[in-house]
Coordinates of all heavy atoms in Angstrom, one line a residue:
V1 N 0.8 -1.2 0.0 CA 0.0 0.0 0.0 C 0.9 1.2 0.0 O 1.7 1.4 0.9 CB -0.9 0.0 1.2 CG1 -1.7 1.3 1.3 CG2 -1.9 -1.1 1.2
D2 N 0.7 2.1 -1.0 CA 1.4 3.3 -1.1 C 0.5 4.4 -0.6 O -0.5 4.7 -1.3 CB 1.8 3.6 -2.6 CG 2.5 4.9 -2.8 OD1 2.6 5.7 -1.8 OD2 3.0 5.2 -3.9
M3 N 0.7 5.0 0.5 CA -0.2 6.0 1.1 C -0.4 7.1 0.2 O -1.5 7.8 0.3 CB 0.4 6.4 2.5 CG 0.4 5.4 3.6 SD -1.3 4.6 3.8 CE -2.2 5.9 4.4
Y4 N 0.6 7.5 -0.6 CA 0.4 8.6 -1.5 C -0.4 8.3 -2.8 O -0.5 9.1 -3.6 CB 1.8 9.3 -1.8 CG 2.2 10.0 -0.6 CD1 3.0 9.4 0.4 CD2 1.8 11.3 -0.4 CE1 3.4 10.1 1.5 CE2 2.2 12.0 0.8 CZ 3.0 11.4 1.7 OH 3.3 12.1 2.8
Q5 N -1.0 7.1 -2.8 CA -1.9 6.8 -3.8 C -3.3 6.5 -3.2 O -4.2 6.1 -3.9 CB -1.5 5.5 -4.6 CG -0.2 5.7 -5.3 CD -0.2 6.8 -6.4 OE1 -1.2 6.8 -7.1 NE2 0.7 7.6 -6.4
Q6 N -3.4 6.8 -1.9 CA -4.7 6.6 -1.2 C -5.4 7.9 -1.0 O -4.9 8.9 -0.4 CB -4.4 6.0 0.2 CG -3.7 4.6 0.1 CD -4.5 3.6 -0.7 OE1 -5.7 3.4 -0.5 NE2 -3.8 3.0 -1.6
P7 N -6.6 8.1 -1.6 CA -7.3 9.3 -1.5 C -7.5 9.9 -0.1 O -7.4 11.1 0.1 CB -8.7 9.0 -2.2 CG -8.4 7.9 -3.2 CD -7.3 7.1 -2.5
G8 N -7.9 9.0 0.8 CA -8.1 9.4 2.2 C -6.9 10.1 2.8 O -7.0 11.1 3.5
H9 N -5.7 9.4 2.6 CA -4.5 10.0 3.1 C -4.2 11.3 2.5 O -3.8 12.3 3.1 CB -3.3 9.0 2.8 CG -2.0 9.5 3.2 ND1 -1.6 9.6 4.6 CD2 -0.9 10.0 2.5 CE1 -0.4 10.1 4.7 NE2 0.0 10.3 3.4
L10 N -4.4 11.4 1.1 CA -4.1 12.7 0.5 C -5.1 13.8 0.9 O -4.7 15.0 1.0 CB -4.2 12.5 -1.1 CG -3.0 11.6 -1.6 CD1 -3.3 11.2 -3.0 CD2 -1.7 12.3 -1.4
I11 N -6.4 13.4 1.1 CA -7.3 14.4 1.6 C -6.9 14.9 3.0 O -6.9 16.1 3.2 CB -8.8 13.8 1.6 CG1 -9.3 13.6 0.2 CG2 -9.7 14.7 2.4 CD1 -10.5 12.8 0.1
R12 N -6.5 14.0 3.8 CA -6.0 14.4 5.2 C -4.8 15.3 5.1 O -4.7 16.4 5.7 CB -5.7 13.2 6.0 CG -5.2 13.6 7.4 CD -4.8 12.3 8.2 NE -3.6 11.7 7.7 CZ -2.4 12.1 7.8 NH1 -2.1 13.2 8.5 NH2 -1.4 11.4 7.3
R13 N -3.8 15.0 4.2 CA -2.6 15.8 4.0 C -3.0 17.2 3.4 O -2.4 18.2 3.8 CB -1.6 15.1 3.1 CG -0.9 13.9 3.7 CD 0.1 14.3 4.8 NE 1.1 15.1 4.2 CZ 1.5 16.3 4.6 NH1 0.9 16.9 5.7 NH2 2.4 17.0 4.0
A14 N -3.9 17.2 2.4 CA -4.4 18.5 1.9 C -5.0 19.3 2.9 O -4.8 20.6 2.9 CB -5.3 18.2 0.7
Q15 N -5.8 18.7 3.8 CA -6.4 19.5 4.9 C -5.3 20.1 5.9 O -5.4 21.2 6.3 CB -7.3 18.6 5.8 CG -8.0 19.3 6.9 CD -8.9 20.5 6.4 OE1 -9.6 20.3 5.4 NE2 -8.9 21.6 7.1
Q16 N -4.2 19.3 6.1 CA -3.1 19.8 6.9 C -2.5 21.0 6.2 O -2.2 22.0 6.8 CB -2.0 18.7 7.1 CG -2.5 17.7 8.1 CD -1.4 16.6 8.2 OE1 -0.8 16.2 7.2 NE2 -1.3 16.1 9.4
V17 N -2.2 20.9 4.9 CA -1.7 22.1 4.1 C -2.6 23.3 4.2 O -2.2 24.4 4.4 CB -1.4 21.6 2.7 CG1 -1.0 22.9 1.8 CG2 -0.3 20.6 2.6
H18 N -3.9 23.0 4.0 CA -4.9 24.1 4.1 C -4.8 24.8 5.5 O -4.8 26.0 5.6 CB -6.3 23.5 3.9 CG -7.4 24.5 4.1 ND1 -8.0 24.6 5.4 CD2 -8.0 25.4 3.3 CE1 -8.9 25.6 5.3 NE2 -8.9 26.1 4.1
N19 N -4.8 24.0 6.6 CA -4.7 24.5 7.9 C -3.5 25.4 8.1 O -3.6 26.4 8.8 CB -4.8 23.4 9.0 CG -6.2 22.8 9.1 OD1 -7.2 23.3 8.6 ND2 -6.2 21.6 9.6
Q20 N -2.4 24.9 7.6 CA -1.1 25.7 7.8 C -1.2 27.0 7.0 O -0.8 28.0 7.5 CB 0.1 24.8 7.2 CG 0.4 23.7 8.1 CD 1.4 22.7 7.5 OE1 1.6 22.7 6.3 NE2 1.9 21.8 8.3
L21 N -1.7 26.9 5.8 CA -1.9 28.2 5.0 C -2.9 29.1 5.6 O -2.7 30.3 5.7 CB -2.3 27.8 3.6 CG -1.2 27.4 2.6 CD1 -1.8 26.9 1.3 CD2 -0.2 28.5 2.4
W22 N -4.0 28.5 6.2 CA -5.0 29.4 6.8 C -4.4 30.2 7.9 O -4.6 31.4 8.0 CB -6.2 28.5 7.3 CG -7.3 29.4 7.9 CD1 -7.4 29.8 9.2 CD2 -8.4 29.9 7.2 NE1 -8.5 30.6 9.3 CE2 -9.1 30.6 8.1 CE3 -8.9 29.7 5.9 CZ2 -10.3 31.3 7.8 CZ3 -10.0 30.4 5.5 CH2 -10.7 31.1 6.5
A23 N -3.7 29.5 8.8 CA -3.1 30.2 10.0 C -2.0 31.2 9.5 O -1.9 32.3 10.1 CB -2.4 29.1 10.9
A24 N -1.3 30.9 8.5 CA -0.2 31.8 8.0 C -0.7 33.0 7.2 O -0.2 34.1 7.3 CB 0.8 31.0 7.3
E25 N -1.7 32.7 6.4 CA -2.2 33.7 5.3 C -3.5 34.4 5.7 O -3.8 35.5 5.1 CB -2.3 33.0 4.0 CG -1.1 32.3 3.5 CD 0.0 33.2 3.0 OE1 -0.4 34.3 2.5 OE2 1.2 32.9 3.1
V26 N -4.4 33.7 6.4 CA -5.7 34.3 6.6 C -5.9 34.8 8.1 O -6.0 36.0 8.3 CB -6.8 33.2 6.3 CG1 -8.2 33.8 6.5 CG2 -6.6 32.7 4.9
S27 N -5.8 33.9 9.0 CA -6.1 34.3 10.4 C -5.6 33.2 11.4 O -5.9 32.1 11.2 CB -7.6 34.6 10.7 OG -7.8 34.9 12.0
S28 N -4.9 33.7 12.4 CA -4.6 32.7 13.5 C -5.7 32.9 14.6 O -5.7 32.1 15.6 CB -3.2 33.0 14.1 OG -3.1 34.4 14.5
D29 N -6.6 33.8 14.5 CA -7.6 34.1 15.5 C -9.0 33.5 15.1 O -9.8 33.1 16.0 CB -7.8 35.6 15.7 CG -6.6 36.2 16.3 OD1 -5.9 35.5 17.1 OD2 -6.3 37.4 16.0
V30 N -9.3 33.5 13.8 CA -10.6 33.0 13.3 C -10.3 31.7 12.5 O -9.6 31.8 11.5 CB -11.3 34.0 12.5 CG1 -12.6 33.4 11.9 CG2 -11.6 35.3 13.3
T31 N -10.8 30.6 12.9 CA -10.6 29.3 12.2 C -11.4 29.3 10.9 O -12.4 30.0 10.8 CB -11.0 28.1 13.1 OG1 -12.4 28.1 13.3 CG2 -10.3 28.1 14.5
S32 N -11.1 28.3 10.1 CA -11.8 28.2 8.8 C -13.3 27.7 9.1 O -14.2 28.1 8.4 CB -11.1 27.2 7.9 OG -11.0 25.9 8.4
T33 N -13.5 27.0 10.2 CA -14.8 26.6 10.6 C -15.6 27.8 11.1 O -16.8 28.0 10.7 CB -14.8 25.5 11.7 OG1 -14.1 24.4 11.2 CG2 -16.2 25.1 12.2
Q34 N -15.0 28.7 11.9 CA -15.6 29.9 12.3 C -15.9 30.8 11.1 O -17.0 31.4 11.0 CB -14.8 30.6 13.3 CG -14.7 29.9 14.6 CD -13.6 30.6 15.6 OE1 -12.7 31.3 15.1 NE2 -13.8 30.3 16.8
F35 N -15.0 30.8 10.1 CA -15.3 31.6 8.9 C -16.5 31.0 8.1 O -17.3 31.8 7.6 CB -14.0 31.6 8.0 CG -14.2 32.3 6.7 CD1 -14.4 33.7 6.7 CD2 -14.2 31.6 5.5 CE1 -14.6 34.3 5.5 CE2 -14.4 32.2 4.3 CZ -14.6 33.6 4.3
A36 N -16.6 29.7 8.1 CA -17.7 29.1 7.4 C -19.0 29.5 8.0 O -20.0 29.8 7.3 CB -17.6 27.6 7.4
V37 N -19.1 29.6 9.4 CA -20.3 30.1 10.1 C -20.5 31.6 9.8 O -21.7 32.0 9.4 CB -20.1 29.8 11.6 CG1 -21.2 30.6 12.4 CG2 -20.2 28.3 11.8
L38 N -19.5 32.4 9.8 CA -19.6 33.8 9.5 C -20.1 34.0 8.1 O -21.0 34.8 7.8 CB -18.3 34.6 9.7 CG -17.8 34.7 11.1 CD1 -16.4 35.3 11.1 CD2 -18.7 35.6 11.9
S39 N -19.6 33.2 7.2 CA -20.0 33.3 5.8 C -21.4 32.9 5.6 O -22.2 33.5 4.8 CB -19.1 32.3 4.9 OG -19.4 32.4 3.6
A40 N -21.9 31.8 6.2 CA -23.3 31.3 6.1 C -24.2 32.4 6.6 O -25.3 32.6 6.0 CB -23.4 30.0 6.8
I41 N -23.8 33.1 7.7 CA -24.7 34.1 8.2 C -24.7 35.4 7.4 O -25.7 36.0 7.2 CB -24.3 34.4 9.7 CG1 -24.6 33.2 10.6 CG2 -25.1 35.7 10.2 CD1 -24.0 33.3 12.0
A42 N -23.5 35.7 6.8 CA -23.5 36.8 5.9 C -24.4 36.6 4.7 O -25.0 37.5 4.2 CB -22.0 37.0 5.4
V43 N -24.4 35.4 4.2 CA -25.3 35.1 3.0 C -26.7 35.0 3.4 O -27.6 35.4 2.6 CB -24.8 33.8 2.4 CG1 -25.8 33.3 1.3 CG2 -23.4 33.9 1.8
N44 N -27.0 34.5 4.6 CA -28.4 34.3 5.1 C -28.6 35.0 6.4 O -28.6 34.3 7.5 CB -28.8 32.8 5.2 CG -28.7 32.2 3.9 OD1 -29.4 32.5 3.0 ND2 -27.9 31.1 3.7
P45 N -28.6 36.4 6.4 CA -28.8 37.0 7.7 C -30.1 36.6 8.4 O -31.0 36.2 7.8 CB -28.8 38.5 7.3 CG -28.5 38.6 5.9 CD -28.6 37.3 5.3
A46 N -30.0 36.7 9.7 CA -31.2 36.4 10.6 C -31.6 34.9 10.4 O -32.7 34.5 10.3 CB -32.4 37.3 10.3
T47 N -30.6 34.0 10.3 CA -30.8 32.6 10.2 C -30.8 32.0 11.6 O -30.2 32.5 12.5 CB -29.7 31.9 9.3 OG1 -30.1 30.6 9.0 CG2 -28.3 32.0 10.0
D48 N -31.4 30.9 11.8 CA -31.4 30.2 13.1 C -30.3 29.1 13.1 O -29.7 28.8 12.0 CB -32.8 29.5 13.3 CG -33.1 28.4 12.3 OD1 -32.7 27.3 12.6 OD2 -33.8 28.7 11.3

């Protein structure tokens, strides 16, 4: 088994790269999950 041919492993590694870039380039205070929530509320104000 070559881990670098396994989609699950590559998805996990891509998420690690995303997290590193997020902290370095976007925000170390607001997580990408928090941003998703802010984004959803910005698109749909007064949502429950």
Side-chain angles (χ1 to χ4, degrees):
V1 173
D2 178 356
M3 293 306 296
Y4 285 91
Q5 296 301 313
Q6 302 301 311
H9 177 73
L10 293 171
I11 290 168
R12 183 184 63 76
R13 288 289 298 126
Q15 181 63 38
Q16 287 176 324
V17 171
H18 173 268
N19 289 342
Q20 290 166 347
L21 279 172
W22 184 273
E25 304 286 330
V26 180
S27 178
S28 58
D29 293 328
V30 177
T31 68
S32 61
T33 301
Q34 291 171 339
F35 177 70
V37 168
L38 292 172
S39 180
I41 295 170
V43 171
N44 296 302
T47 191
D48 64 87

